[in-house]
Amino acid sequence: KKENRYNYFKRTAFDLNQWAKLINVAKKNKLEFICSPFSEMAVENLKKLQVKTLKIPSGEITNLAMLKKIKSLFPNILLSTGMSNWKEIDQAYNIIKNVKNLCVMQCSSIYPCPPENVGLNIIDELKKRYKGVVGFSDHTRGYAAAFASVALGCRVIEKHFSFSREMYGSDAFNSMIPDEMKVFCEGLRFIWKSLDNPVNKDKIKIYQDVRKTFQKSIVTSKSVKKGEKLSLKNICFKKPGYGIPADKINDILNKKFCYDLSKDHLLKTKDIK
């Protein structure tokens, strides 16, 4: 609170050797290192460090010269839209739209972001306006907003992370901690897997045995004689569903029994005519 913004960033900035160490740690842990540049010099440095993917922060979305430089050097771009209007997003998109991999991300630059400012409605508009992948930069506390965004079609999720909310730094207090992040990632992968495997209600095979166990058949409600007509007075509906299905009732009413049958006999087609 007693330090101006410039001095804060100067004191906490990493040099190139420190960035290189972080990149190596990411590689060892099979993570892709992604970074947000705030200057053309930063873009050049990240290229020297062989970073493959950049995230353009929303505060830089109108920095057109830097966007052109990023486009010429990096094949993978995440475009944050947190502080931007549609005109600015369109302008930026038209510069970088031909890169190999592009993700346009809905974001609300509020920390923490309340539900009324999340902007889930914008995700559908992003899908309509821009080619490529759509993502969500989540500044809320909790899981719900990101889970909802995935259900709406987002394929990339950004979430602030800290080893502890007591750590030094402007973001730590509003970040997820390790136990929460584990649950968060498991939930995201569960939703993505569900969405990537659509279910056809008319071709469900895994329920066949269960269906037979829980659905009902038409059975005799009392002893009946050969030639007696079927009616709601001498039949009823009981589990399991291995006989004539209950929904065939209108097809068999007033037909005749072929045999003398005892009570609770599960009717088959051979039993009636």
Side-chain angles (χ1 to χ4, degrees), residues 6-267:
Y6 177 80
N7 288 335
Y8 168 77
F9 283 123
K10 186 176 181 181
R11 181 168 56 82
T12 58
F14 296 149
D15 60 33
L16 287 184
N17 288 331
Q18 290 171 315
W19 283 119
K21 288 180 181 179
L22 289 169
I23 291 168
N24 286 331
V25 170
K27 286 180 180 177
K28 287 179 182 178
N29 287 278
K30 298 180 180 179
L31 297 170
E32 182 179 1
F33 183 89
I34 299 173
C35 195
S36 294
F38 288 84
S39 69
E40 291 189 44
M41 182 183 291
V43 173
E44 292 167 1
N45 286 337
L46 290 169
K47 183 63 178 177
K48 290 176 186 175
L49 292 167
Q50 300 182 327
V51 174
K52 302 296 184 186
T53 301
L54 294 194
K55 181 195 168 199
I56 298 170
S58 58
E60 300 294 324
I61 204 168
T62 58
N63 189 349
L64 304 186
M66 191 174 86
L67 296 188
K68 290 176 182 177
K69 192 175 194 72
I70 291 172
K71 174 194 172 182
S72 69
L73 296 175
F74 293 87
N76 311 314
I77 296 176
L78 304 170
L79 178 66
S80 181
T81 63
M83 303 179 191
S84 313
N85 57 44
W86 287 115
K87 181 180 178 181
E88 292 167 342
I89 302 169
D90 286 345
Q91 184 176 245
Y93 174 80
N94 286 330
I95 291 174
I96 62 175
K97 63 183 179 182
N98 292 323
V99 296
K100 184 178 179 181
N101 295 300
L102 174 62
C103 175
V104 182
M105 304 185 73
Q106 161 54 11
C107 175
S108 297
S109 298
I110 307 169
Y111 304 86
C113 183
E116 58 268 26
N117 294 117
V118 168
L120 291 175
N121 60 297
I122 294 172
I123 293 168
D124 194 49
E125 184 65 21
L126 292 176
K127 288 160 62 179
K128 292 175 182 176
R129 291 173 82 108
Y130 310 121
K131 294 180 181 178
V133 173
V134 171
F136 178 57
S137 182
D138 184 11
H139 295 163
T140 66
R141 287 176 176 164
Y143 310 93
F147 288 175
S149 76
V150 169
L152 291 170
C154 288
R155 306 296 297 189
V156 176
I157 301 297
E158 176 191 4
K159 191 77 169 177
H160 287 223
F161 172 81
S162 178
F163 293 114
S164 167
R165 291 195 184 92
E166 303 299 319
M167 289 181 72
Y168 174 81
S170 58
D171 288 338
F173 184 71
N174 293 314
S175 297
M176 270 193 170
I177 56 177
D179 288 348
E180 295 170 336
M181 183 61 78
K182 184 175 187 294
V183 174
F184 185 64
C185 292
E186 288 171 350
L188 293 173
R189 293 187 183 108
F190 183 96
I191 299 168
W192 274 318
K193 190 168 186 178
S194 300
L195 292 171
D196 289 340
N197 292 275
V199 171
N200 186 330
K201 274 290 192 182
D202 291 323
K203 295 182 179 179
I204 298 175
K205 295 180 179 179
I206 59 173
Y207 302 137
Q208 294 309 309
D209 289 341
V210 177
R211 277 165 54 89
K212 293 297 184 184
T213 300
F214 284 92
Q215 289 187 340
K216 293 192 173 173
S217 300
I218 301 171
V219 302
T220 53
S221 60
K222 60 183 181 180
S223 298
V224 296
K225 297 293 184 180
K226 178 180 177 180
E228 186 178 339
K229 283 187 177 182
L230 282 82
S231 72
L232 294 177
K233 293 181 179 181
N234 56 22
I235 58 172
C236 61
F237 311 95
K238 293 186 177 182
K239 299 175 184 178
Y242 291 101
I244 298 175
D247 62 3
K248 299 297 182 184
I249 180 61
N250 291 329
D251 297 337
I252 65 169
L253 281 177
N254 295 319
K255 289 191 175 182
K256 295 180 179 180
F257 294 106
C258 297
Y259 316 101
D260 291 347
L261 299 172
S262 60
K263 180 182 177 181
D264 286 332
H265 179 82
L266 190 143
L267 291 174

